[in-house]
């Protein structure tokens, strides 16, 4: 009988996996922004960035890098600001800050 090595899935590997998931969120969010599936006029894009930066910060618990920690802290602060700004303006006006130009993004395809 083969015994499963439990030490393979230690905390370091888990932190690294969460960091890779954060990287994937960054790439997916930026791709969706570039292709017009997300817009920065709504809080959704900032929520994706906040989740991505938080995941990468978790990975820094395993392999710390001061420069990366500072960048992720900046992204977290800016994402929280963007969420509060967009959510507050939507509540007041009942719609987006800036309507995306869908004709322009469709002409690029």
């Amino acid at each position: 009988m083969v015994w499963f090595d439990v030490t393979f899935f230690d905390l370091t590997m888990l932190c690294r996996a969460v960091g890779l998931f954060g990287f994937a969120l960054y790439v997916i969010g930026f791709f969706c922004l570039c292709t017009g599936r997300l817009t920065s006029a709504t809080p959704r894009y900032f929520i994706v960035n906040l989740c991505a930066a938080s995941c990468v910060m978790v990975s820094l618990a395993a392999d710390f890098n001061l420069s990366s920690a500072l960048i992720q802290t900046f992204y977290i602060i800016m994402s929280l600001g963007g969420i509060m700004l967009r959510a507050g303006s939507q509540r007041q006006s009942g719609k987006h800050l800036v309507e995306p130009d869908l004709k322009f993004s469709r002409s690029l395809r």
Side-chain angles (χ1 to χ4, degrees), residues 33-37 100-109:
L33 181 69
C34 290
T35 58
R37 290 180 173 90
D101 186 9
L102 295 178
K103 287 185 232 176
F104 177 71
S105 66
R106 286 184 189 139
S107 67
L108 293 177
R109 294 181 195 166

Side-chain angles (χ1 to χ4, degrees), residues 4-11 13:
F4 186 75
D5 188 12
V6 179
T7 59
F8 178 75
F9 289 107
D10 61 352
L11 190 57
M13 291 297 287

Side-chain angles (χ1 to χ4, degrees), residues 21-105:
F21 180 70
F23 163 75
L25 283 176
Y26 271 132
V27 171
I28 291 168
F30 189 66
F31 176 78
C32 289
L33 181 69
C34 290
T35 58
R37 290 180 173 90
L38 277 178
T39 176
S40 63
T42 64
R44 285 185 206 133
Y45 176 68
F46 296 100
I47 291 170
V48 171
N49 268 352
L50 176 64
C51 292
S54 299
C55 288
V56 173
M57 282 292 273
V58 168
S59 75
L60 292 177
D63 300 309
F64 186 75
N65 180 341
L66 179 61
S67 299
S68 183
L70 292 173
I71 291 169
Q72 300 314 313
T73 302
F74 171 77
Y75 269 112
I76 289 171
I77 292 169
M78 294 307 292
S79 294
L80 288 172
I83 291 168
M84 291 179 0
L85 181 69
R86 299 315 191 270
S89 67
Q90 284 181 352
R91 230 179 278 128
Q92 288 176 354
S93 68
K95 62 180 198 173
H96 304 304
L97 281 174
V98 177
E99 292 294 326
D101 186 9
L102 295 178
K103 287 185 232 176
F104 177 71
S105 66

